[in-house]
Amino acid sequence: MTTMVCWKSADQNKQQTLNLCSDSRFRDGTGNVWDCGKKLFFSRVFPDVFGFVGEALPPQTVLAQLVDAIDSKSLGARSSDPALRVSKYMSYLDATIGTFPRTRSVEIVYATRDDRQNSSPFHICSIFFASGKGPGKTTTIQTGGAQSMLIRAFGSGENEFMKMYAAVHAKQQGNMSRAVYWSFVDHLASGADPYTGGSPQIVRLGNVGAASPIGISNNGKRYLLGFELDASQLGEPEIKDWHDDMYQYVDPVSGQPRSKAQRIARPR
């Protein structure tokens, strides 16, 4: 299982950014944990992002394969309608994850951009596979208006995260998009959900172009999609955006806020 959250940021010009954030823990049936698991996947060519909660093996394998097929343009013509893309991707997910004998449920979140419109550019859906074998069920997730907002939390840690978010949201600056990340970091540190742990991982989708992963400075260490990196080797990484636990933009080597980055003081 896991905890995954999705939120939207909007700037003064009403340009919107979608963020998908997950933990990095895999846990087996005997309680052993491994905090290096990749749970977010994204196309480097198209605005497609996937994340999952639930049983790890089927989606971790299949989503990597699906993204490779998307990037290599091996799935035929790409529709401009997100709903038609979901239908096409579902046929592949049903043929793979749907045939796997799942001991637990799997929920996949697919986020994309609808470039046909500007007022509500993002399209998000949940694809749920119950335990056992069988096809998935798709549900569209509402993305709200043009304001910054938490869209939804998913997974075994959903309820505990929402309790944490309610406490943070009630404080000063709690209505800002960074409060979602504060809540997620607090949720990880609390250990309230034994299936949630490791480093946060984030993939971000903007109003143009493909999605991109965000580097993480967490507890003095550097991570990318759950994978720990050597900070001394990060002088010129291709990943330009790095966040610390305060959600400040930081230098990947020093971990300190960038010279022109906004300084953030978190209310307590």
Side-chain angles (χ1 to χ4, degrees), residues 62-102:
V62 172
L63 290 179
Q65 295 169 327
L66 178 58
V67 166
D68 283 345
I70 292 170
D71 284 355
S72 62
K73 303 180 183 178
S74 302
L75 301 181
R78 180 180 175 86
S79 173
S80 60
D81 185 344
L84 294 180
R85 294 203 294 273
V86 172
S87 179
K88 174 176 285 191
Y89 297 162
M90 274 294 299
S91 67
Y92 292 98
L93 295 174
D94 282 343
T96 50
I97 295 176
T99 61
F100 187 89
R102 302 175 296 276

